[in-house]
């Protein structure tokens, strides 16, 4: 690891085999998390503008808003962490730069003025961490002259109180802009705070869950929790609780309910389960747990502060193992486990990933709080149900099979979103395998249909998958939860899909049943999870499966996918599998199956966890006017510390039983 001198600054430079300082911290206590934070803030210093009002890290890619707003992200988003550090009594030697940046950025006479906010302006988002920092770190306000305080009052709160904002979690950002001013005796609008919270409360759906939007929208992703709504409700309860005890009490109650569901989105290794948009904010996914402590929420059983502490710290430790998330100067990149623009939203600038700093709200928690004084406890697997239905997000969670798996139906993003069908419409999401997004719109390699059913009416060039559901509900069959959805990829093609979670007898299998009524001829492609397509030790693509090395595929990978080469396919009931970092596979279980099992060599960087992946897939062509039933078994056994490679395929030959109720429905039709 090298360091170059820029002025009086040492700039981190990561070379071929260098390890980021973030990965070297032994995370164990509050002081170690403070140290961890500084490894994120220090690499930003060489990227500050001359007057310190903007930060521009390497990347250069554009977003839907202007570059100035993107560079405002660069200085404001780290304030989530810096403000938390200062609020908890910590110090940072670069704090003065952020103070100077606030002065320059809000001064309309400065060449680095941030600009007047317009309706629906990205600047509104960045006002939230700035308002929070003003509220909890008095050094910022106290460092301002009267004129500078006036500039901040005008820019931060009063410039947007009459502006239009998206009808989403953004309304919380205006609340915090005003709250930051209120806490310092500045000019603010209490009326706007009250009105926005009343409207935000209309998003509430019950048992802790809120939609990220109004009635008619079903979008309950990480913005419902760690990224925005739950997180900011808890910060409001802490900062405004004395003068607004009713809302504080209500928000804490919602957090208690939500915690009992949200715990299911993490696994024993510390991984969160990627679902929905903006997962490129990485360890922000675990920020809710620190916010619980910050707001002094009384934990509901079976949660303890040792359990909560463990969930957060293990998540940070897991991210320490992801060495490809950094740019050459040590700043976070756009992506998930590696830089990846295919998964990026149109609002992800090179500075956007610093929303991850939400995770450091735990540093605002006093050192004598039980969050910090309790011994860290393991993930409470033994205390939780093996299968759990969550009605509000439309999810069924499974603890079987060595990973956290979410079966999902019904949610959809309410506006155009790149890869929206993959981020919300996939059938299953995994803490081990993530999800895959399309890299283009030509053939299966580019669509990368992991945990999706694709249909094509043009011979396999363009594929349509589940995005919107006409109906999506959780049903009980034989006292077990099942997801049912009805969807139409084409106006004259109707599909009913059942998603059935694993059972103890076949813990690595879940079932996916489709009834397809085809008003036109369509090709179908039913995909398993995507898995790493690299062999040990040389990183080349997987060969035909070798039981001696415990890696490879069956059938063989033929180019990309080729239904006309015998070695590249096998009968659907025989299935297809791939073994590398664990094993995934797929098989057809319907009687007289006509489907063919094969492997899609997905485009590089289509998956968010592994940059090279293979997707075992079942293919078939349905004639116009036919109605068919597909009964698909999906196998998944991830690698892990206590999982021996020779056991990866254990259970593959033991196919799951088809429940009697679905067999009866198929027979009756």
């Amino acid at each position: 690891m090298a360091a170059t001198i820029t002025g009086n600054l040492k700039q981190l430079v990561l070379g071929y085999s260098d390890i980021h300082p973030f990965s070297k911290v032994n995370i164990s206590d509050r002081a170690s998390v403070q140290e961890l934070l500084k490894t994120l803030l220090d690499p930003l210093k060489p990227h500050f503008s001359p007057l310190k009002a903007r930060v521009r890290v390497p990347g250069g890619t554009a977003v839907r808003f202007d570059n100035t707003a993107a560079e405002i992200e660069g200085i404001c988003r780290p304030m989530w962490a810096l403000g938390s550090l200062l609020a908890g009594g910590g110090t940072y030697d670069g704090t003065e730069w952020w103070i100077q940046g606030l002065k320059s950025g809000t001064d309309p006479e400065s060449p680095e003025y941030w600009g007047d906010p317009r309706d629906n302006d990205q600047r509104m988002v960045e006002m939230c961490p700035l308002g929070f920092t003003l509220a909890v770190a008095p050094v910022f306000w106290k460092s301002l002259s009267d004129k500078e305080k006036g500039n901040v009052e005008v820019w931060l709160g009063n410039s947007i109180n009459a502006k239009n904002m998206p009808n989403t979690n953004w309304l919380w950002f205006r609340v915090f802009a005003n709250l930051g001013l209120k806490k310092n005796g500045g000019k603010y609008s209490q009326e706007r705070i009250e009105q926005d919270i009343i409207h935000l409360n209309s998003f509430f759906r019950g048992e802790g869950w809120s939609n990220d939007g109004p009635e008619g929208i079903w979008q309950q992703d990480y913005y419902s929790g760690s990224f925005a709504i739950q997180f900011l409700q808890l910060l409001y309860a802490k900062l405004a609780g004395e003068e607004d005890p009713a809302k504080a009490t209500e928000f804490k109650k919602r957090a208690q309910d939500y915690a009992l569901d949200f715990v299911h989105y993490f696994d024993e290794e510390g991984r969160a389960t990627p679902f929905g948009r903006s997962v490129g904010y990485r360890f922000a996914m675990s920020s809710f747990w620190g916010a619980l402590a910050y707001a002094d929420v009384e934990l509901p059983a079976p949660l303890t502060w040792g359990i909560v502490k463990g969930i957060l710290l293990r998540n940070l430790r897991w991210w320490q193992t992801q060495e490809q998330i950094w740019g050459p100067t040590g700043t976070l990149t756009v992506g998930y486990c590696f830089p990846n623009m295919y998964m990026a939203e149109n609002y992800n600038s090179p500075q956007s990933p610093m929303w991850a700093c939400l995770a450091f709200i735990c540093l605002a928690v006093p050192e004598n709080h039980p969050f910090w004084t309790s011994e860290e406890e393991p993930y409470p697997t033994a205390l939780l149900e093996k299968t759990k239905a969550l009605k509000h997000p439309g999810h069924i969670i499974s603890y079987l099979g060595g990973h956290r798996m979410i079966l999902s139906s019904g949610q959809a993003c309410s506006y155009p979103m790149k890869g929206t069908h993959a981020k919300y419409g996939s059938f299953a999401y995994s803490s081990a395998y993530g999800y895959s997004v399309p890299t283009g719109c030509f053939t299966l390699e580019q669509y990368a249909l992991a945990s999706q059913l694709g249909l094509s009416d043009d011979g396999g060039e363009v594929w349509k998958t589940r995005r919107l559901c006409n109906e999506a509900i959780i049903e009980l069959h034989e006292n077990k939860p099942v997801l049912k959805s009805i969807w139409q990829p084409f106006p004259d093609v109707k599909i009913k899909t059942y998603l059935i979670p694993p059972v103890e007898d076949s813990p690595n299998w879940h079932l996916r049943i489709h009834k397809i009524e085809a008003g036109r001829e369509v090709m179908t492609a039913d995909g398993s999870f995507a898995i790493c397509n690299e062999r040990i030790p040389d990183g080349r693509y997987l060969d035909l499966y070798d039981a001696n090395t415990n890696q490879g595929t069956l059938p063989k990978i033929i180019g990309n996918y080729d239904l006309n080469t015998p070695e590249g396919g096998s009968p659907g009931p025989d299935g297809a599998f791939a073994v590398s970092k664990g094993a995934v596979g797929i098989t057809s279980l319907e009687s007289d199956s006509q489907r063919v099992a094969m492997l899609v060599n997905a485009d590089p960087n289509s998956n968010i966890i592994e940059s090279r992946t293979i997707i075992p897939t079942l293919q078939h062509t349905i004639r116009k006017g036919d109605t068919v039933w597909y009964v698909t078994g999906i196998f998944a056994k991830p690698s892990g510390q206590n999982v021996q490679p020779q056991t990866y395929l254990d259970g593959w030959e033991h196919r799951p039983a088809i429940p009697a109720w679905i067999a009866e429905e198929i027979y009756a039709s």
Side-chain angles (χ1 to χ4, degrees):
M1 182 164 52
T4 60
I5 305 299
T6 305
N8 295 322
L9 295 174
K10 289 184 178 180
Q11 178 170 297
L12 179 66
V13 178
L14 296 175
Y16 184 85
S17 58
D18 291 331
I19 297 174
H20 195 288
F22 181 89
S23 297
K24 298 179 180 180
V25 178
N26 179 21
I27 301 174
S28 58
D29 55 16
R30 192 168 183 263
S32 64
V33 179
Q34 290 176 331
E35 181 185 357
L36 187 76
L37 166 59
K38 293 173 184 179
T39 69
L40 286 177
L41 298 182
D42 286 347
L44 296 175
K45 291 178 179 177
H47 302 295
F48 271 80
S49 58
L51 299 181
K52 307 299 183 286
R54 304 176 189 178
V55 172
R56 181 174 64 215
V57 303
T61 51
V63 281
R64 68 184 182 194
F65 44 87
D66 58 286
N67 282 340
T68 296
E71 293 173 10
I72 297 170
E73 287 184 317
I75 185 173
C76 286
R77 296 193 170 198
M79 289 186 187
W80 283 123
L82 178 60
S84 297
L85 175 71
L86 299 176
T91 60
Y92 181 62
D93 62 9
T95 300
E96 181 57 39
W97 283 29
W98 269 268
I99 295 173
Q100 181 57 48
L102 174 62
K103 295 177 180 179
S104 301
T106 56
D107 180 0
E109 298 177 359
S110 168
E112 294 188 8
Y113 177 54
W114 288 338
D116 297 337
R118 300 175 177 176
D119 289 340
N120 305 316
D121 198 313
Q122 181 66 26
R123 289 160 177 79
M124 297 170 172
V125 180
E126 314 321 315
M127 291 178 182
C128 192
L130 177 53
F132 166 74
T133 299
L134 288 176
V136 302
V139 64
F140 274 77
W141 190 259
K142 290 178 179 178
S143 300
L144 305 177
S145 68
D146 288 345
K147 180 180 179 181
E148 290 164 343
K149 290 176 181 176
N151 290 339
V152 172
E153 287 175 341
V154 170
W155 189 86
L156 179 58
N158 300 293
S159 64
I160 66 165
N161 282 331
K163 294 289 193 300
N164 293 323
M165 297 189 75
N167 193 13
T168 66
N169 69 84
W170 274 42
L171 295 170
W172 270 115
F173 306 155
R174 185 160 56 194
V175 170
F176 272 80
N178 281 286
L179 191 59
L181 293 171
K182 179 180 179 179
K183 282 289 186 179
N184 289 283
K187 184 180 178 182
Y188 73 99
S189 172
Q190 183 64 33
E191 179 183 10
R192 177 53 72 187
I193 291 175
E194 296 290 340
Q195 289 176 345
D196 283 342
I197 293 179
I198 288 171
H199 190 87
L200 285 159
N201 281 336
S202 72
F203 298 170
F204 183 61
R205 293 294 174 264
E207 297 178 273
W209 285 90
S210 292
N211 264 339
D212 188 12
E215 190 71 37
I217 290 173
W218 192 357
Q219 192 172 337
Q220 295 175 17
D221 50 26
Y222 282 91
Y223 282 93
S224 294
S226 280
F227 290 171
I229 294 176
Q230 277 287 348
F231 183 85
L232 295 173
Q233 286 176 167
L234 287 171
L235 267 58
Y236 182 87
K238 177 68 173 181
L239 297 175
E242 290 187 5
E243 62 185 71
D244 196 356
K247 291 191 189 70
T249 299
E250 170 62 18
F251 292 155
K252 289 183 180 182
K253 175 61 171 62
R254 292 181 190 178
Q256 290 174 320
D257 292 339
Y258 183 77
L260 293 175
D261 282 354
F262 192 51
V263 66
H264 301 296
Y265 288 76
F266 294 80
D267 71 9
E268 292 80 357
E269 293 187 24
R271 300 173 294 196
T273 306
F275 171 79
R277 66 188 180 103
S278 296
V279 295
Y281 296 155
R282 297 183 173 105
F283 31 93
M285 298 162 85
S286 62
S287 65
F288 169 76
W289 303 110
L292 277 178
Y294 181 61
D296 295 312
V297 174
E298 183 178 345
L299 294 178
L303 298 180
T304 66
W305 286 117
I307 290 173
V308 168
K309 178 180 182 179
I311 294 172
L312 174 57
L313 297 190
R314 280 191 299 274
N315 185 249
L316 293 172
R317 292 189 197 110
W318 185 78
W319 282 109
Q320 287 183 303
T321 69
Q322 305 305 304
E323 298 179 357
Q324 301 303 316
I325 64 177
W326 310 105
T329 61
T331 58
L332 288 169
T333 57
V334 175
Y336 194 65
C337 287
F338 56 90
N340 189 343
M341 293 305 296
Y342 291 126
M343 65 160 283
E345 273 71 59
N346 62 5
Y347 51 79
N348 288 157
S349 82
Q351 292 74 231
S352 296
M354 289 302 283
W355 201 257
C357 288
L358 291 172
F360 292 96
I361 187 63
C362 61
L363 294 180
V365 178
E367 60 185 352
N368 62 354
H369 190 283
F371 176 87
W372 291 118
T373 60
S374 298
E375 289 292 323
E376 182 179 333
E377 297 179 44
Y379 188 87
T381 310
L383 303 177
L384 302 172
E385 302 173 60
K386 293 291 190 294
T387 303
K388 176 72 173 178
L390 305 179
K391 68 176 182 179
H392 293 289
H395 289 164
I396 297 175
I397 311 291
S398 171
Y399 280 72
L400 299 173
H403 59 143
R404 198 66 63 249
M405 184 177 69
I406 301 171
L407 300 181
S408 180
S409 291
Q411 290 200 46
C413 193
S414 60
Y415 42 86
M417 174 69 57
K418 188 164 61 177
T420 185
H421 61 282
K423 294 170 182 177
Y424 293 93
S426 296
F427 301 124
Y429 297 86
S430 166
S431 60
Y433 298 113
Y435 59 71
S436 297
V437 296
T439 63
C441 54
F442 181 71
T443 73
L444 284 176
E445 299 94 344
Q446 294 180 12
Y447 280 92
L449 300 179
S451 294
Q452 298 177 73
L453 173 67
L455 298 97
S456 173
D457 68 349
D458 64 2
E461 290 193 7
V462 176
W463 293 82
K464 300 196 70 174
T465 65
R466 187 180 69 166
R467 186 180 75 83
L468 296 175
C469 294
N470 301 341
E471 177 186 350
I473 58 174
I474 297 175
E475 298 182 338
L476 277 180
H477 292 277
E478 300 173 356
N479 294 318
K480 294 180 175 63
V482 174
L483 273 167
K484 182 180 80 172
S485 63
I486 296 174
W487 52 290
Q488 292 181 262
F490 301 98
D492 55 357
V493 177
K494 183 178 180 181
I495 302 175
K496 176 166 63 177
T497 295
Y498 291 107
L499 304 176
I500 303 176
V503 296
E504 296 276 4
D505 185 59
S506 50
N508 298 104
W509 290 92
H510 71 275
L511 294 175
R512 188 187 302 162
I513 293 98
H514 308 289
K515 179 185 180 183
I516 305 174
E517 301 172 68
R520 66 181 72 185
E521 181 172 289
V522 288
M523 292 177 63
T524 65
D526 210 358
S528 73
F529 290 114
I531 194 171
C532 177
N533 187 17
E534 295 181 5
R535 71 182 187 187
I536 297 172
D538 59 10
R540 293 191 175 191
Y541 284 164
L542 295 171
D543 296 315
L544 197 65
Y545 180 69
D546 184 345
N548 294 316
T549 62
N550 302 300
Q551 58 183 343
T553 71
L554 193 70
K556 188 177 180 180
I557 303 172
I558 302 294
N560 290 312
Y561 69 95
D562 183 348
L563 293 178
N564 298 314
T565 303
E567 305 97 292
S570 60
D574 291 348
F577 65 73
V579 184
S580 57
K581 296 181 179 180
V584 301
I586 195 165
T587 184
S588 58
L589 300 173
E590 68 269 13
S591 60
D592 300 321
S593 175
Q594 301 300 307
R595 291 194 283 173
V596 176
M598 39 70 69
L599 295 132
V600 173
N601 190 4
D603 256 17
N605 311 312
S606 53
N607 188 259
I608 68 171
I609 291 180
E610 297 290 344
S611 55
R612 297 180 180 88
T613 55
I614 197 84
I615 306 173
T617 300
L618 292 167
Q619 284 206 64
H620 184 227
T621 297
I622 305 174
R623 295 173 301 182
K624 179 180 179 180
D626 282 358
T627 295
V628 302
W629 283 89
Y630 291 160
V631 181
T632 303
I634 299 91
F635 181 85
K637 186 171 184 179
S639 58
Q641 291 181 348
N642 300 316
V643 183
Q644 298 301 314
Q646 59 266 29
T647 70
Y648 286 162
L649 284 176
D650 285 0
W652 167 253
E653 298 294 340
H654 179 57
R655 302 297 163 85
I658 301 173
W661 66 268
I662 191 65
E664 292 172 3
E665 183 173 341
I666 294 172
Y667 179 77
S669 67

